[in-house]
Every structure is written in structure tokens, then in C-alpha cells.
Amino acid sequence: MNKYRKKAQKSPPSATPSATALPPQSRPVEVRSQQLQPFSWPVRVYYEDTDAGGVVYYANYLSFMERARTEWLRVLGFEQPQLAATHGVLFVVRAVNIEYHRPSRFNDSLQVTVEVVNVGGSHIRFMQQVLRGEERIAQAEVDVVCVDTGRFRPARLPREMREKMEQQE
């Protein structure tokens, strides 16, 4: 599904060790999509998704994107409760940068895409789009961090998940 490429890091000689000095699982990787389309999940706009003006309320696009990421994870073979019980981790959104391009309305049929663009030791950066046909409605860069369930501190991505993502190249 995605092609991984190590992210080049330049550091002055006196700085901390470069990424290449770190073990492979600690190195951040940049993901370059070689596929025609990223993972896509259909969403129908319901009346409850719209605001007083009859268009989708801006915050609801974040819910649509969350659903698509959950389904992407499911396709990889992982359920959120299983990750918490087996690995003691869960995922939290650290940052979102979203742009709105067009409105969508009640009963629109949308596709929400999920594309992994960067994977680190404890984080995944996604590029997501909400599309109506070929028309881009919204686009967001979403940073998600893997945290341990007890202290909510960053934790390594489970090895099995990393392996599944690499198989999707």
C-alpha cells in the first residue's frame, strides 16, 4: 500500500547521534505512497451532521476522519480494545491541521481517505481527505501518538502493527 523511505536527517558533528545510529525500530520513516489511491472509507452525511445553514458542521469532518482511521486499523487486523488489552497502548490525536475547500450537505455520499505519510517510534502522521466524487471537500494532516494506557505517556508502536504497515508497502 505505501512505500517507506528513511527520512534524511542532518545534524552537526557535536549534536546527538543521527537517526542512522539508532536501531531500525527507532528511526523515523517517511512514507511515499506508490498506490493510485489511499485507503478509503464511505461516509453518508446525515441530518444530524449539518448545522443551521444546512451544511456539514466543520468539526464533524474530524469525526469522519476518526472513523476512517479506525477502519484502516481494522483492515490491518487491529481493534482498539485489543491493542489496549494486549499491548497496553492506545492512540491519541496530538495535532490536526485541516483545510476546508467546499461544503457538503445532507445526504451527500463522501469518501474519507487515509494515507500514512510518516511513522516514528511512537507516532504516525496521516494525510486525510474528504471527497465527494473527485471534488475535495476537506484535507487534513493528522498526527497520532501511541501512548501507554496507564500513564498516557508516549509508547512504542506495537511491533506487529509496524510489521503489518510494512507489508502494505
Side-chain angles (χ1 to χ4, degrees):
M1 185 188 300
N2 290 312
K3 191 76 173 173
Y4 292 77
R5 185 172 67 83
K6 289 184 184 124
K7 191 175 187 178
Q9 293 185 354
K10 294 181 182 179
S11 59
S14 62
T16 57
S18 71
T20 55
L22 297 172
Q25 67 274 15
S26 299
R27 296 180 197 154
V29 291
E30 186 175 342
V31 179
R32 297 284 184 184
S33 176
Q34 298 298 317
Q35 62 191 24
L36 296 175
Q37 294 181 340
F39 175 82
S40 183
W41 187 253
V43 172
R44 174 72 68 180
V45 175
Y46 295 111
Y47 186 74
E48 67 189 24
D49 298 321
T50 62
D51 62 16
V55 298
V56 172
Y57 182 65
Y58 76 96
N60 286 339
Y61 291 106
L62 297 174
S63 295
F64 298 164
M65 291 176 183
E66 178 74 29
R67 289 179 208 163
R69 287 193 311 276
T70 298
E71 295 303 330
W72 167 81
L73 199 55
R74 222 172 243 138
V75 166
L76 286 181
F78 299 99
E79 295 286 342
Q80 304 264 5
Q82 170 200 19
L83 287 168
T86 306
H87 299 284
V89 297
L90 52 89
F91 292 94
V92 295
V93 173
R94 182 182 156 282
V96 174
N97 182 12
I98 190 165
E99 293 180 35
Y100 302 96
H101 299 280
R102 299 267 187 244
S104 57
R105 294 179 166 76
F106 171 68
N107 219 23
D108 277 354
S109 180
L110 306 174
Q111 289 292 320
V112 183
T113 66
V114 178
E115 184 175 2
V116 176
V117 294
N118 184 280
V119 179
S122 64
H123 82 275
I124 305 172
R125 177 168 290 158
F126 297 96
M127 180 59 68
Q128 292 193 258
Q129 293 187 78
V130 178
L131 305 166
R132 181 177 47 229
E134 298 294 318
E135 184 178 30
R136 185 182 316 155
I137 304 299
Q139 178 174 321
E141 187 175 82
V142 182
D143 290 341
V144 175
V145 178
C146 182
V147 298
D148 70 68
T149 55
R151 300 175 307 140
F152 284 86
R153 301 268 186 200
R156 292 210 151 289
L157 293 170
R159 181 179 44 81
E160 293 86 356
M161 178 180 288
R162 210 176 250 291
E163 290 171 359
K164 287 275 190 165
M165 288 171 33
E166 289 171 0
Q167 290 172 3
Q168 299 299 310
E169 290 182 11

